[in-house]
Structures are given as C-alpha cells and as structure tokens.
C-alpha cells in the first residue's frame, strides 16, 4: 500500500453530517501529521469498495500510523472519537471501536518487545493509549478497561532503565499532566504507588539527566497541588528566567 | 446489587454471579463461574484478568478482551441510567395518580405501593442482551417504522418486555420468546434465503430511549422523548436505503483554514 499522489478520498457510507464531523476532526490535526495519515487512509480507501468502508481496516491504519508518528498519536484520540460517534449514529454498531480496542490490546501485550525494538514506537504507543483514554468515553465515563493497562504503561516508564532516558521521562510526565487526575479518580492506590516510584526515582536514580530531574520534580509538585498549576510552580518551571 | 446465595444449589441461570455468598470474587476456574467468561487466553504476566477498581462502579466482566469489556461497560452504564430513569417515571406517575385520587372520590383505584424492581445487574444485563437480539432484526426495524410507539395498540402490537419488573426466569424467557415470535409478522417479504434476520446485537444507541417505558401508563410520556419511533428512519436501515450523499474531498478540506474542534472534553 503505497502513497498516492492525490489526497482526495471518499467515505461514501457516511452521511453528510458525519462527513462534516470527520472533516473537522481531520482538519484539526496538525497538517503535517494529518497529511501523512490521510495519504495512508486514501490509499486504502481508494482500493476498497467505496460503498463499504472496512472499519476494522481503518482502525488498523490509525493504530499503525500512531505508532510511527508521535504527533499523530496525540491527535488520534479525537479522530477515533469522531468515527465511533459516526458509526454508532449511522449504523448502530461499534465495529471500529471493537477493532481499535483489540488492536490496542495486542500491542499492549507485546509492549516490552515493542520497547526493545523501537523506543520511539513505544513512546508513541503510550501517547496513543493515553490519548484514547482521554477522549473515548463510555456513557460519559472513562473506559474502565483501559485504566489498568494505562497504569501499567506508566509504571513501565517509571522503571530505572526508562528513567534514564529523557524521552521516556518526558512522555511520562506529559501523560500524567493530561490524564493523571482522571486516572487517579479511577484508581487512587495505584497512583500513590506510581508516585512512590517517582519520588524514589527522583531521589535515588543514578544517571538521571538534570532535565529529567526537573520534569520529575515538577510532576510531583503538580500532583501535590491537586493536579493544578500553582503560581509559584508556574513561575519556577515555566517562566522565562530574567537576569 | 448482586444476589446473595440461596440455600439450595444455585440454578444454572444464577451462575452469572460474580461473587460467592461470602462476598469474595469467584475464581476463574470455579465451576459456577460467570456466564460472561470469554477467556480464550490468560495474560502472560499472570495478572487477574479483570479490571475492578476500588472506586469503579463494580466488578467488570472477566473477559480479557478489551473490545468486549468496553461493550459490556457501555451496556452496564446504560442499564443503570435506564433504571434511574424508570424509577423517576414510576415516581412521577405515582405522584400524579395520588394527586388525582386525592381530589376526587377514593374508589378502588390501583394501589400505588412502590413495586420491587429487578436490580440485579447480572440479570439486567442478560435481559438487555436478549432484548438487543430481538431489536437487532430487520423485522423490528420495520415494525417501529410502521407503528410509532404512540400508535401502538396494547394487545395487538408487540411490546418489549420490561426488564425492570420482577419475573421468574421462566416467565421472562417466555415473554421474550412470544415477543420475538410476534415481531416476525414484520419480517421482510421472503426472497431466497433472507438470512439477515439476526445481525450481531450491538445496538446500544436505541436502548436509552426505547427499552424503558413499556408500561402502559408511560406510553404517553415516552413517545415524546423517543425520536426514533415517532419520526425518521431507524438508524440501522438508513445505510441500506440511502445512496452515497456526495463525496468527501479531502484536498478541499485540508486547504480550508483550520477551525477548532472543541466538542470533546
């Protein structure tokens, strides 16, 4: 499945209202990430029977793309949300969501291998699954099924070998900023455990870069302030240093 | 809440219980283990394959398949919303009836004692699945299209069994059977092997509005809040009926100025 020259593609089985929704979702994606993902989607959809989009394949394309492109994996949640709403409204099914979840689960099972194979892909995966957790709701509640798997991923990032890598620490704190509060509501003891590890890591871990130390300290303070940014923290961590 | 153990050996149907009488979760290999068991594989890290969280709404099915777990989650939360809604409706009806009878003479009006509802989550989910099987048929779609709920004649038109009422298992299963048989009157005209009768049952979009309110006293109010039956084509048949509504030109959309997509939290 190679890239095609044209960026035009058709989703004929969705009505115009849904197309508008999808359009908006894709537009909102940073152009660079959106472009690549859409090219991939295009190539697939052009080769498929236009009257019948295989949503399972679409789910796989999105997951594949998320593992390659970190920018896209940050946005994919929104796109998935849109497709799920559309499918539910249009045909009252959840083929896409089911395929997405199962694919997510497959990758989760092999996450250690994934990390060994490609650190970048692993980071993309964590970003993706956290993004999905953030966006996809079940009757306005977060997805229960993802709570422990997400925690597992974050715990992995808090291991010594991961703490030694700046990109992984960066990923960890970013996800905690975005979904930490929700995650804690779903399972508070595990969050306590996680932060125990982070404190230990901050204090005892050898080979921690100063940036990593800074990131860890900031997130520890952030949670202590009930997942809010205090003025003092804002000033310390995020303001320009004036000399 | 979940049903407590009875003194006799539990009948087959109650083996959906997730906990024994002592409140402890049943183990996976328990001979009485859950009807929801769909374990095809154990996770290699040996963790329990359930996602119960202390603050969560309760035990989650033991299936280790995220797709199914999410669907069951959805069904459970929908059912819980519905029961809350149903209770409110009963309360409102009760209140309205009491007001009427207090102003007029008190003859032999129906007792307005609060009836006991079926609240066992396992039972409700099972019943909901059975209802979903019946509703995910072309016959049902044709039926609700042809006869909006406000035009239904009790005794003539099939009515979805009310899962919140207390019935014995046999009684319930019988109601479901009769209901589905009655729905067959709306089967599409038979061509060669019309095999699309039963599609896989995941139409949860309709649940909220349709499955509650099969009580005759509620048929008035429920019609108003149910868009599906009183107007428009049911969602499931729409994709068969409608043709492509024009193409989606990505090139155009990518070249348009970006707008915010802010409908999600």
């Amino acid at each position: 499945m190679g890239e095609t020259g044209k960026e035009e593609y058709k989703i004929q089985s969705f009505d115009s209202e849904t197309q508008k929704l999808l359009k908006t979702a894709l537009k909102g994606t940073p152009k660079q990430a959106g472009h690549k993902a859409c090219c991939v989607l295009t190539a697939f959809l052009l080769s498929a029977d236009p009257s019948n989009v295989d949503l399972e394949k679409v789910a796989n394309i999105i997951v594949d793309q998320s593992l390659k492109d970190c920018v896209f994996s940050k946005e994919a949640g929104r796109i998935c949300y849109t497709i799920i709403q559309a499918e539910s409204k249009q045909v009252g099914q959840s083929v896409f969501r089911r395929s997405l979840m199962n694919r997510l689960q497959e990758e989760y099972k092999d996450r250690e291998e994934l990390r060994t194979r490609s650190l970048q892909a692993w980071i993309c995966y964590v970003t993706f699954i956290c993004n999905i957790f953030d966006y996809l709701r079940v009757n306005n509640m977060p997805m229960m099924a993802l709570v422990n798997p997400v925690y597992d991923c974050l715990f992995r990032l808090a291991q010594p070998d991961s703490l030694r890598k700046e990109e992984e620490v960066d990923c960890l704190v970013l996800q905690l900023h975005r979904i930490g509060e929700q995650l804690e509501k779903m399972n508070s003891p595990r969050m306590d455990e996680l932060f125990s590890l982070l404190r230990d890591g901050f204090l005892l871990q050898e080979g921690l870069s100063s940036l990593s130390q800074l990131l860890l300290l900031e997130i520890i303070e952030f949670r202590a302030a009930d997942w809010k940014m205090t003025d003092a923290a804002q000033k310390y961590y995020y303001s320009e240093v004036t000399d | 809440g979940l049903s407590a153990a009875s003194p006799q050996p539990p009948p087959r149907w109650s083996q959906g219980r997730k906990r024994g009488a002592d409140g402890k979760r049943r183990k996976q290999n328990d001979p009485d283990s859950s009807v929801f068991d769909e374990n095809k594989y154990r996770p290699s890290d040996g963790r329990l394959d359930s996602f119960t969280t202390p603050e969560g709404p309760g035990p989650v099915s033991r299936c280790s398949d995220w797709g199914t777990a999410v669907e069951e989650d959805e069904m459970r939360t929908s059912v819980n919303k519905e029961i809350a809604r149903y209770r409110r409706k009963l309360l409102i009806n009760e209140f309205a009836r009491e007001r009427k009878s207090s102003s007029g003479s008190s003859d032999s009006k129906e007792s307005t004692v609060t009836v006991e509802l079926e609240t066992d989550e396992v039972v409700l989910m099972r019943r909901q699945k059975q209802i979903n099987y019946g509703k995910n048929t072309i016959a049902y779609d044709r039926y609700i299209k042809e006869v909006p709920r406000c035009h239904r004649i009790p005794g003539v038109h099939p009515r979805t069994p009310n899962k919140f009422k207390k019935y014995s298992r046999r009684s319930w299963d019988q109601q479901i059977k009769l209901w589905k048989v009655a729905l067959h009157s709306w089967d599409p005209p038979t061509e060669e092997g019309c095999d699309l009768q039963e599609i896989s049952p995941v139409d949860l979009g309709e649940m909220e509005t349709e499955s509650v309110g099969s009580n005759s006293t509620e048929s008035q109010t429920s019609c108003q809040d149910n868009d599906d039956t009183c107007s428009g084509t049911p969602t499931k048949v729409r994709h068969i009926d409608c043709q492509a509504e024009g193409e989606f030109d990505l090139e155009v959309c990518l070249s348009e100025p970006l707008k915010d997509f802010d409908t999600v939290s």
Side-chain angles (χ1 to χ4, degrees):
Chain A
M1 176 163 58
E3 294 197 343
T4 59
K6 275 201 174 294
E7 290 172 6
E8 178 190 343
Y9 73 100
K10 301 148 192 164
I11 308 183
Q12 289 177 347
S13 60
F14 294 129
D15 66 11
S16 55
E17 193 191 312
T18 309
Q19 287 179 16
K20 254 187 265 164
L21 272 174
L22 282 166
K23 190 153 84 167
T24 316
L26 286 162
K27 262 197 301 182
T29 310
K31 192 145 179 180
Q32 181 198 22
H35 173 97
K36 275 196 205 146
C38 294
C39 279
V40 172
L41 275 167
T42 303
F44 164 70
L45 289 163
L46 282 181
S47 60
D49 178 350
S51 65
N52 183 19
V53 178
D54 183 343
L55 288 172
E56 184 178 340
K57 278 219 171 115
V58 174
N60 278 307
I61 290 173
I62 289 177
V63 176
D64 288 336
Q65 190 62 24
S66 302
L67 295 181
K68 291 188 207 131
D69 180 348
C70 242
V71 182
F72 183 72
S73 63
K74 284 198 199 115
E75 310 290 332
R78 192 171 49 188
I79 295 172
C80 289
Y81 174 82
T82 307
I83 297 177
I84 289 171
Q85 295 300 102
E87 193 194 354
S88 168
K89 213 167 64 102
Q90 278 286 87
V91 298
Q93 308 257 335
S94 58
V95 170
F96 177 80
R97 183 177 66 183
R98 175 177 269 272
S99 309
L100 177 68
M101 287 293 120
N102 291 338
R103 182 63 202 280
L104 219 53
Q105 186 177 15
E106 271 176 49
E107 299 294 335
Y108 164 81
K109 287 202 161 95
D110 296 329
R111 61 195 184 279
E112 200 53 49
E113 268 179 49
L114 180 67
R115 182 176 179 275
T116 312
R117 198 168 63 234
S118 159
L119 196 71
Q120 199 45 39
W122 155 244
I123 288 172
C124 281
Y125 175 75
V126 180
T127 309
F128 182 53
I129 191 176
C130 291
N131 195 242
I132 293 291
F133 176 77
D134 195 13
Y135 273 103
L136 296 197
R137 292 256 181 289
V138 167
N139 279 324
N140 296 324
M141 292 213 317
M143 289 186 157
M144 298 290 296
L146 292 183
V147 173
N148 275 333
V150 167
Y151 266 119
D152 291 339
C153 290
L154 298 181
F155 268 88
R156 180 59 182 89
L157 288 173
Q159 299 307 306
D161 57 347
S162 296
L163 289 178
R164 280 195 279 266
K165 302 218 158 68
E166 251 174 43
E167 319 95 295
E168 287 188 84
V169 178
D170 183 60
C171 178
L172 173 62
V173 305
L174 181 64
Q175 305 318 319
L176 283 172
H177 271 286
R178 285 172 130 199
I179 62 170
E181 191 173 4
Q182 285 181 60
L183 214 51
E184 186 173 47
K185 284 200 186 98
M186 305 298 286
N187 186 335
S188 180
R190 275 202 98 180
M191 190 56 81
D192 289 337
E193 263 182 66
L194 180 64
F195 270 77
S196 257
L197 282 183
L198 296 187
R199 268 187 228 104
D200 286 347
F202 173 76
L203 290 170
L204 309 167
Q205 180 64 47
E206 286 177 19
L208 222 51
S209 73
S210 24
L211 177 61
S212 296
Q213 283 181 300
L214 188 73
L215 292 173
L216 288 176
L217 186 62
E218 194 274 341
I219 195 68
I220 290 170
E221 279 196 49
F222 187 70
R223 185 198 180 210
D226 203 22
W227 307 99
K228 291 183 186 48
M229 182 68 67
T230 63
D231 286 343
Q234 172 80 32
K235 218 167 168 185
Y236 184 85
Y237 294 105
Y238 295 100
S239 301
E240 293 292 326
V241 179
T242 49
D243 235 335
Chain B
L2 297 160
S3 50
S6 53
Q8 308 107 9
R12 186 80 185 90
W13 60 263
S14 78
Q15 284 176 7
R17 282 181 288 137
K18 305 265 189 318
R19 296 184 190 272
D22 56 0
K24 294 221 178 80
R25 282 198 76 109
R26 286 185 159 174
K27 295 224 187 328
Q28 181 163 359
N29 296 320
D30 190 309
D32 283 348
S33 63
S34 167
V35 296
F36 292 133
D37 251 356
E38 286 184 10
N39 288 316
K40 299 162 204 147
Y41 35 54
R42 286 217 79 125
S44 53
D45 52 1
R47 299 178 92 251
L48 287 177
D49 42 33
S50 69
F51 301 105
T52 307
T53 59
E55 289 82 7
V60 180
S61 163
R62 293 190 147 276
C63 66
S64 55
D65 160 11
W66 292 5
T68 309
V70 170
E71 275 164 19
E72 299 217 344
D73 201 11
E74 189 171 47
M75 193 185 294
R76 180 182 312 103
T77 49
S78 296
V79 163
N80 287 333
K81 270 170 139 183
E82 274 185 67
I83 196 172
R85 217 175 122 207
Y86 184 63
R87 281 193 165 123
R88 281 196 299 272
K89 280 191 175 173
L90 287 182
L91 222 58
I92 290 168
N93 287 332
E94 205 178 295
F95 184 62
R97 228 184 297 166
E98 269 174 30
R99 264 209 289 187
K100 263 199 279 181
S101 60
S102 67
S103 59
S105 56
S106 54
D107 43 19
S108 52
K109 283 255 193 286
E110 232 179 274
S111 161
T112 55
V113 188
T114 318
V115 285
E116 199 194 342
L117 297 179
E118 179 60 71
T119 55
D120 187 324
E121 195 175 271
V122 171
V123 173
L124 288 175
M125 300 251 299
R126 185 189 1 100
R127 290 182 176 182
Q128 186 59 60
K129 277 185 184 169
Q130 287 171 296
I131 291 171
N132 288 347
Y133 278 117
K135 286 189 173 180
N136 254 287
T137 57
I138 295 180
Y140 184 77
D141 283 346
R142 296 177 88 240
Y143 168 49
I144 58 176
K145 188 177 174 182
E146 191 179 305
V147 188
R149 204 187 294 174
C150 26
H151 296 151
R152 284 188 197 171
I153 303 163
V156 172
H157 293 121
R159 195 166 76 186
T160 310
N162 184 341
K163 66 179 173 283
F164 297 119
K165 286 191 172 161
K166 279 282 193 193
Y167 297 112
S168 69
R169 174 67 183 257
R170 252 184 65 171
S171 165
W172 172 264
D173 286 350
Q174 182 72 345
Q175 289 181 57
I176 288 285
K177 226 181 283 187
L178 293 172
W179 172 64
K180 287 163 91 168
V181 165
L183 286 175
H184 277 304
S185 313
W186 278 270
D187 281 349
T190 40
E191 308 160 24
E192 282 237 73
C194 182
D195 51 343
L196 291 179
Q197 285 294 348
E198 304 258 329
I199 321 170
S200 66
V202 195
D203 178 23
L204 298 166
E206 281 194 348
M207 257 172 54
E208 255 275 84
T209 49
E210 278 215 67
S211 47
V212 182
S214 39
N215 187 318
S216 58
T217 59
E218 304 167 301
S219 55
Q220 305 287 51
T221 48
S222 58
C223 180
Q224 291 145 17
D225 49 10
N226 187 336
D227 297 343
D228 250 354
T229 57
C230 293
S231 67
T233 315
T235 53
K236 271 190 301 303
V237 294
R238 205 181 293 153
H239 75 289
I240 300 168
D241 289 339
C242 81
Q243 294 306 310
E245 306 221 16
E247 294 158 13
F248 178 13
D249 193 339
L250 180 63
E251 188 150 29
V252 171
C253 96
L254 278 181
S255 61
E256 284 175 34
L258 294 173
K259 272 197 283 227
D260 275 354
F261 184 67
D262 59 351
T263 58
V264 271
S265 58

